[in-house]
Amino acid sequence: MVEMQIDNGTCTKCGFCAQVCPSRVIDWEKGQFPEKNQQRVKICIHCGQCMAVCPHKSIQVDDLAYDRDFLDFTPEKLEFDTFFNFIAARRSIRNFKDKPVPADLLQNIVDAIAQAPMGFPPHKTALTIIQNRATIEQMIPLMVEFYGNMLKWMKNPIMRYLIKKDAGAEQFATVKGHMIPIMEQRVPSMKSGGIDEITRGAPAMILFHAHRLAEHHTQDAYIAMTYGLLAAHSLGLGATSISLIPPPFNKTPELQKMIKLPTDHEVVTAMILGYPKYRYQRGIKRELASVKWL
């Protein structure tokens, strides 16, 4: 049972806590003190919204603590032109300087990722941060071997059917239409010691993983990665998502051992990052598939 306490000595009966609660576990009538709804309190998701909105810190939910679990900030309006210029200037970076990313900047990115919204608290997303190029280079041959085998498997009707069944329709379409054509060109070159076409020489890499049965974990991981991409951009770093990275980690025991991946976890997505070798002079206009106004 969720423990919820409301301090009537400091509560001003504003009702903000009840109105922002997504699960409606707080009852309130104008002019009255808010109260815990005994029938609905079991569906409290511990999001902290009620405590975050309370002007006088009058509500307490379980072991959430104002001094430990919340950030005090001064709300500042970010002008849309400034925001749009920032996101428009971000590019997917695949060319990096031979320069390590300092641990404090990686920690800044981790802190930003932790602020990403999620379907249901607490976070299901876990991170594995590989902060040196030498470790990444040890992984590349195993990734190349995985894709070399996949090229063979996709030519076998039975194996192709099993891959489709395991991956699902959307992921299989990505494999067939995107990954395989790329790997057909890149695997032979990489096997012979050619340019790294998977991690692109990046000095650092972040893997986003979660328990494979955790609710909403796939969407959460992609949202978290988006926060990471924007955080890297704000720090003068370049980053991009690489969809070629997760499959080898999910299917290769040696790679799983290298990153100490829990046996019940799957890698959902990954981003490479480092200092950009080149600076873009302009953004690229983007258009959605369609926009309908109703």
Side-chain angles (χ1 to χ4, degrees):
M1 179 65 70
V2 174
E3 292 296 330
M4 181 181 295
Q5 303 293 331
I6 297 173
D7 184 352
N8 291 349
T10 58
C11 176
T12 61
K13 306 178 184 178
C14 65
F16 294 167
C17 57
Q19 295 177 69
V20 302
C21 177
S23 300
R24 301 299 184 209
V25 301
I26 303 174
D27 291 333
W28 172 76
E29 292 183 11
K30 189 173 182 179
Q32 302 297 317
F33 288 115
E35 296 180 348
K36 176 173 65 176
N37 184 305
Q38 296 293 346
Q39 282 69 47
R40 297 182 63 84
V41 72
K42 62 183 178 181
I43 62 173
C44 172
I45 60 174
H46 293 80
C47 63
Q49 293 274 46
C50 57
M51 293 178 66
V53 79
C54 181
H56 304 289
K57 300 182 179 179
S58 301
I59 186 168
Q60 179 72 44
V61 177
D62 278 345
D63 60 351
L64 291 176
Y66 282 105
D67 58 351
R68 184 192 64 228
D69 300 311
F70 294 86
L71 300 170
D72 290 325
F73 60 85
T74 302
E76 295 183 7
K77 180 181 178 182
L78 178 64
E79 295 296 333
F80 179 77
D81 288 348
T82 301
F83 168 73
F84 187 84
N85 184 68
F86 173 75
I87 61 174
R90 196 208 73 81
R91 299 258 56 80
S92 293
I93 302 299
R94 300 179 181 86
N95 303 95
F96 302 95
K97 294 179 180 178
D98 184 14
K99 179 181 178 181
V101 180
D104 61 328
L105 295 190
L106 291 172
Q107 184 60 55
N108 287 156
I109 294 172
V110 171
D111 292 342
I113 290 172
Q115 296 303 309
M118 69 216 75
F120 303 97
H123 264 303
K124 310 304 183 298
T125 304
L127 304 181
T128 294
I129 302 163
I130 303 161
Q131 54 185 323
N132 63 82
R133 180 62 195 170
T135 301
I136 296 174
E137 288 180 347
Q138 293 175 17
M139 300 172 174
I140 293 173
L142 293 170
M143 296 188 211
V144 174
E145 181 181 359
F146 171 83
Y147 279 108
N149 289 333
M150 181 171 281
L151 290 175
K152 299 175 186 177
W153 298 334
M154 287 294 286
K155 294 178 181 179
N156 182 309
I158 296 177
M159 289 300 296
R160 189 167 60 247
Y161 169 79
L162 293 175
I163 291 172
K164 183 176 182 179
K165 184 177 180 180
D166 180 59
E170 180 181 1
Q171 182 62 27
F172 182 76
T174 301
V175 170
K176 182 179 178 181
H178 177 66
M179 292 184 178
I180 294 303
I182 291 176
M183 288 297 100
E184 285 177 338
Q185 299 296 320
R186 296 177 180 176
V187 165
S189 173
M190 293 183 68
K191 279 186 174 181
S192 61
I195 297 173
D196 168 23
E197 299 276 7
I198 298 178
T199 68
R200 304 285 186 155
M205 179 167 71
I206 300 178
L207 303 176
F208 297 73
H209 54 94
H211 190 293
R212 62 175 58 90
L213 297 180
E215 64 273 21
H216 216 268
H217 74 274
T218 301
Q219 298 94 321
D220 286 353
Y222 283 115
I223 294 171
M225 183 187 64
T226 300
Y227 269 53
L229 294 173
L230 294 174
H233 179 48
S234 76
L235 294 167
L237 299 170
T240 190
S241 169
I242 301 292
S243 60
L244 292 170
I245 293 174
F249 279 93
N250 289 328
K251 299 296 183 181
T252 308
E254 295 93 330
L255 287 173
Q256 295 169 4
K257 185 177 180 179
M258 290 179 73
I259 64 170
K260 299 179 181 179
L261 184 73
T263 56
D264 53 4
H265 276 216
E266 64 177 355
V267 178
V268 178
T269 187
M271 59 181 275
I272 56 173
L273 66 157
Y275 287 94
K277 190 174 182 179
Y278 308 106
R279 290 290 177 182
Y280 287 86
Q281 304 302 310
R282 57 200 59 84
I284 302 173
K285 291 183 178 180
R286 305 292 194 195
E287 292 187 6
L288 298 170
S290 68
V291 177
K292 292 181 179 179
W293 299 81
L294 302 178

